[in-house]
């Protein structure tokens, strides 16, 4: 027995449920009414057939969060009844991700596959009570007999088998006497039920596939709808939270609890799954993207997986904050991915040190700056947090600035570098551009010839003269080369799953979701460990990639400084109005 029924927690004073989501209200009310002995015991039950995604994070925050709020428990359970798709690698990934998100299951780590013996006994109990039978119909026939939603099904010719015959056949199923798919064990409920799930659903099927944990011990495997409620009951779960598509399965969930001898009566409550714009959240589809090489792996920083987000530089705090903000509701909706990025930005704005890096370098030569001279310039690490201190950044005669910070023919109100225009180099000096050097072959601008005003050290002119633009820079001699991966949405369509006829969600893959540039960054990033996060001033938040080495710095752009897609969307809408 795994139920943890020893700890009775105090329901506390009958507080108000105002402001709570509908699940939290139910839990408060159930405790107040003394249901489940006042306990709150939830579980997060992933199937180890893939890595967790942001939708799972919502379920994790809900289940673990709810248990925390009521001084209860939350189990982590592998729902591993389908041997064909599950693996120990995924189990390990799931554990790592839940822990990284900041949740602790203590001793309460379980596997549905550990209940196989007990589940088998429950099945025998059902047969003995004449509530389950072995059926010889095969896949196609089963569907024909099941009927349609508006038309009752027909009883299987095997439905009236005697208990003895059923016990014998089930034993032989288990012993491996029958081939895969030739028989099933079915619950005897009601073939005329208006709920299709109640039309004698399968409980066990024959499958000669070794299981990653039980090996060849079984050739029959219990179905999800049978396993889930009974696993919940065995663990003493009080509220079994699942997504809306299981609403129609609830009567079946309850039927199993009522018809076998279980130690607890969990209550299933459904909530809306998380859908995110520009994203698919289905393990099957994410696996397909991995297997077909559309991404580099489950941890590709463009993937909506926890491992992908982690590698991209998202923080657990930001993901939890996002899950809190979107809340829990009963109606399906699509949440804007901008909300998630906002939460990431907000966290990194406070905690990521700021450094300078130039993504697309353009060389600047300061003609009146002494050759060979190097100055150390003080730069603030994070103006949001003084305690993060400052650092020294080397300044010299040759610098790199951002190509996009120079315009030979500047439009009005362009305050960055342009011929004859003075700008401030962040923390350093005012410079003025006098000349451009072109590549004779391509006519491209490859170098700017500038002068600096030595009186403006620190970025201010003693004569009170103002400049409107401030740009970032790095010293050519001191800069580190970095491979920078600039990510955009993996899908170019708001809802990639909304496909045209004959189409596929992969048609919506964004061909520009990854751009790699060779950037130059300030030397303070030398030997920055994988996973460390920075703001490159004016360019966004970046995270040192897991592939980064001492010899080759690799950065992932975690998120831009502003929601650039909001602007694109606004322009698109404005364009539509003009038409
Ligand atoms: P997928 O549809 O991506 O394959 P799943 O539901 O089959 O997901 P499970 O491993 O069974 O994956 O999910 C574990 C738990 O996470 C379940 O309780 C499920 O309801 C919940 N969950 C899965 N996807 C979402 C989502 N998008 N939003 C909220 N909860 C989710
Ligand atoms: Mg599932």
């Amino acid at each position: 027995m795994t139920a943890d029924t020893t700890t009775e927690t105090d329901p506390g004073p009958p507080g108000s449920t105002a402001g709570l989501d509908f699940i939290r209200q139910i839990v408060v009310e159930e405790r107040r009414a003394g249901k489940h002995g006042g306990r709150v015991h939830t579980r997060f039950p992933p199937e180890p057939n893939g890595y967790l995604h942001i939708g799972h994070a919502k379920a994790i925050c809900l289940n673990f969060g709810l248990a925390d709020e009521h001084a209860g428990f939350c189990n982590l359970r592998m729902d591993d009844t389908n041997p064909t798709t599950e693996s120990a690698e995924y189990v390990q990934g799931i554990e790592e991700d839940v822990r990284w998100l900041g949740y602790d299951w203590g001793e309460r780590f379980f596997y549905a596959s550990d209940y196989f013996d007990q589940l088998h006994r429950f099945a025998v109990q059902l047969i003995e009570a004449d509530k389950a039978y072995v059926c010889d119909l095969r896949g196609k026939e089963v569907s024909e007999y099941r009927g349609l939603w508006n038309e009752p099904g027909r009883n299987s010719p095997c439905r009236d088998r005697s208990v003895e015959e059923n016990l014998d056949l089930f034993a032989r199923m288990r012993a491996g006497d029958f081939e895969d798919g030739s028989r099933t064990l079915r619950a005897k409920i009601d073939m005329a039920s208006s709920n299709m799930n109640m039309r004698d659903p399968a409980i066990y099927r024959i499958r000669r596939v070794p299981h990653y944990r039980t090996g060849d011990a079984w050739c029959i495997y219990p179905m999800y709808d049978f396993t889930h409620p009974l696993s919940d009951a065995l663990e003493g779960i009080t509220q079994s939270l699942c997504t809306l598509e299981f609403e129609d399965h609830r009567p079946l969930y309850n039927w199993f609890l009522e018809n076998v001898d279980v130690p607890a009566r969990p209550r299933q409550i459904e909530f809306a799954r998380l859908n995110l714009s520009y994203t698919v959240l289905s393990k099957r589809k994410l696996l397909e993207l991995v297997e077909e090489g559309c991404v580099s792996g489950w941890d590709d920083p463009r993937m909506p997986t926890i491992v992908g987000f982690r590698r991209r530089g998202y923080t657990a705090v930001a993901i939890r904050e996002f899950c809190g903000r979107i809340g829990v509701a009963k109606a399906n909706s699509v949440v804007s991915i901008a909300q998630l990025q906002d939460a990431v930005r907000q966290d990194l704005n406070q905690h990521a040190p700021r450094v300078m890096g130039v993504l697309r370098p353009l060389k600047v030569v300061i003609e009146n700056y002494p050759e060979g001279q190097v100055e150390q310039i003080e730069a603030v690490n994070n103006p949001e947090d003084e305690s993060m201190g400052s650092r020294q950044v080397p300044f010299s005669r040759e610098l790199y600035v951002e190509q996009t910070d120079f315009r030979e023919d500047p439009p009005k109100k362009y305050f960055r570098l342009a011929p004859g225009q003075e700008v401030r180099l962040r923390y350093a000096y005012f410079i003025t551009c006098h000349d451009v050097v072109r590549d004779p072959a391509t006519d491209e601008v490859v170098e700017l010839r500038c002068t600096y005003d030595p009186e403006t050290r620190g970025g201010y002119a003693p004569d009170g003269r103002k400049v409107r633009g401030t740009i970032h820079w790095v010293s050519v001699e001191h800069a580190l080369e970095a491979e920078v991966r600039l990510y955009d949405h993996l899908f170019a369509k708001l809802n990639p799953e909304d496909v045209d006829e004959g189409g596929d969600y992969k048609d919506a893959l964004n061909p520009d979701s990854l751009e790699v540039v060779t950037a130059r960054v300030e030397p303070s990033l030398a030997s920055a460990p994988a996973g460390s996060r920075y703001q490159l001033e004016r360019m966004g938040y970046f995270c040192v990639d897991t592939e980064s080495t001492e010899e080759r710095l690799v950065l992932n752009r975690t998120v831009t400084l502003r929601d650039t897609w909001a602007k694109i969307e606004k322009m698109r809408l404005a364009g539509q109005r003009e038409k």
Side-chain angles (χ1 to χ4, degrees), residues 212-466:
Y212 76 102
R213 292 191 70 242
T214 57
D216 294 322
W218 297 87
C219 63
I220 54 171
Y221 288 96
M223 302 299 288
Y224 173 86
D225 277 339
F226 173 72
T227 307
H228 201 78
L230 300 177
S231 303
D232 282 346
L234 289 171
E235 292 176 15
I237 299 304
T238 54
Q239 286 85 12
S240 176
L241 312 179
C242 63
T243 37
L244 275 186
E245 64 272 24
F246 291 101
E247 196 167 17
D248 288 347
H249 298 237
R250 193 186 334 135
L252 183 56
Y253 183 98
N254 291 334
W255 189 90
F256 285 122
L257 295 179
E258 282 154 19
N259 287 285
V260 298
D261 197 10
V262 289
R265 283 298 298 273
R267 171 172 175 182
Q268 175 177 308
I269 307 170
E270 310 85 18
F271 64 95
R273 61 191 295 122
L274 170 66
N275 302 301
L276 257 195
S277 60
Y278 301 102
T279 308
V280 300
L281 290 183
S282 137
K283 277 189 283 189
R284 186 182 62 74
K285 287 176 184 158
L286 296 177
L287 176 64
E288 208 167 83
L289 293 174
V290 172
E291 284 181 337
E292 294 183 13
C294 307
V295 292
S296 65
W298 284 98
D299 69 345
D300 187 306
R302 291 167 295 180
M303 287 282 270
T305 50
I306 306 299
V307 268
F309 284 149
R310 179 155 76 228
R311 184 166 166 196
R312 171 101 167 232
Y314 286 24
T315 61
V317 168
I319 293 175
R320 291 202 306 268
E321 170 67 21
F322 166 74
C323 291
R325 281 188 207 168
I326 58 173
V328 177
K330 192 98 197 169
N332 277 318
S333 65
V334 180
V335 173
S336 167
I337 196 167
Q339 281 207 53
L340 175 59
Q341 295 177 336
D342 266 350
V344 173
R345 245 178 237 124
Q346 188 182 318
D347 186 26
L348 295 183
N349 181 45
Q350 288 171 41
H351 300 116
R354 300 188 190 181
V355 293
M356 290 194 285
V358 171
L359 296 185
R360 295 174 181 85
L362 172 61
K363 195 165 161 188
V364 164
V365 178
I366 304 174
E367 292 178 324
N368 60 340
Y369 195 88
E371 271 184 65
Q373 179 171 313
V374 179
E375 271 175 85
Q376 295 297 331
I377 306 254
E378 183 168 8
V380 176
N381 287 338
N382 190 340
E384 303 280 322
D385 182 354
E386 263 184 36
S387 73
M388 289 171 72
S390 62
R391 68 191 183 286
Q392 303 289 313
V393 185
F395 183 89
S396 67
R397 180 181 153 92
E398 295 194 350
L399 309 172
Y400 287 121
V401 299
E402 209 68 59
Q403 283 170 18
T404 48
D405 281 337
F406 172 76
R407 291 283 278 275
E408 200 165 11
D409 258 324
K412 268 201 186 125
K413 296 202 174 155
Y414 184 86
F415 301 121
R416 291 168 275 163
L417 270 176
Q421 189 155 294
E422 191 169 48
V423 298
R424 175 187 294 113
L425 293 177
R426 180 83 161 143
Y427 302 117
Y429 293 102
F430 289 4
I431 60 167
T432 307
C433 173
H434 296 290
D435 227 337
V436 302
V437 179
R438 290 172 191 285
D439 179 332
T442 63
D443 209 34
E444 217 184 321
V445 175
V446 291
E447 190 177 300
L448 305 178
R449 309 296 292 192
C450 301
T451 54
Y452 85 122
D453 177 353
E455 300 298 315
T456 56
R457 193 171 200 273
Y460 297 94
D463 63 4
R465 168 173 110 247
K466 297 264 189 297

Side-chain angles (χ1 to χ4, degrees), residues 301 308-315 318 340-341 344-345 348 352 484-488 531-535 539-544 555-561:
F309 284 149
R310 179 155 76 228
R311 184 166 166 196
R312 171 101 167 232
Y314 286 24
T315 61
L340 175 59
Q341 295 177 336
V344 173
R345 245 178 237 124
L348 295 183
V484 177
R485 300 169 181 173
L486 304 170
Y487 299 106
D488 202 341
S532 45
R533 305 174 181 93
Y534 296 91
Q535 183 193 113
M539 306 315 285
Y541 294 97
F542 294 78
C543 176
V544 179
L555 297 174
N556 297 316
R557 182 166 65 198
T558 308
V559 66
T560 52
L561 288 182

Side-chain angles (χ1 to χ4, degrees), residues 168-183:
D168 174 59
L169 284 171
F170 188 50
R172 288 171 60 194
M173 271 173 71
R174 158 140 220 201
D177 288 358
F178 308 123
E179 63 181 282
D180 286 18
S182 62
R183 284 186 163 85

Side-chain angles (χ1 to χ4, degrees), residues 57-75:
K58 172 176 176 174
I60 292 167
C61 291
L62 176 60
N63 281 293
F64 280 92
L66 201 55
D68 279 350
E69 290 156 29
H70 290 274
F73 295 111
C74 181
N75 296 356

Side-chain angles (χ1 to χ4, degrees), residues 28-147:
V28 168
E29 281 154 15
E30 288 205 327
R31 288 192 76 194
R32 217 182 273 160
K35 295 243 175 80
H36 317 289
R39 293 178 308 118
V40 174
H41 198 151
T42 56
R43 85 289 169 265
F44 173 64
E47 184 181 358
N49 61 352
Y51 281 82
L52 299 180
H53 53 60
I54 185 75
H56 294 115
K58 172 176 176 174
I60 292 167
C61 291
L62 176 60
N63 281 293
F64 280 92
L66 201 55
D68 279 350
E69 290 156 29
H70 290 274
F73 295 111
C74 181
N75 296 356
L76 180 57
R77 181 201 312 147
M78 298 301 125
D79 218 327
D80 55 354
T81 55
N82 183 2
T84 49
T85 54
E86 297 161 359
S87 78
E89 178 202 334
Y90 293 137
V91 173
Q92 206 188 336
I94 290 168
E95 282 187 75
E96 226 172 279
D97 288 349
V98 176
R99 202 171 284 129
W100 179 79
L101 278 172
Y103 295 104
D104 183 8
W105 53 88
E107 307 280 276
R108 293 170 297 280
F109 186 91
F110 302 110
Y111 294 93
S113 54
D114 278 348
Y115 308 140
F116 279 174
D117 282 314
Q118 176 65 61
L119 292 168
H120 181 261
R121 284 197 292 276
F122 283 144
V124 170
Q125 251 183 42
L126 283 175
I127 299 173
E128 284 168 347
D130 199 20
K131 286 173 178 164
Y133 61 97
V134 172
C135 179
D136 306 348
L137 295 179
R138 286 168 179 266
K140 224 178 115 218
E141 299 162 313
V142 174
S143 323
E144 281 165 21
Y145 273 80
R146 190 179 291 127

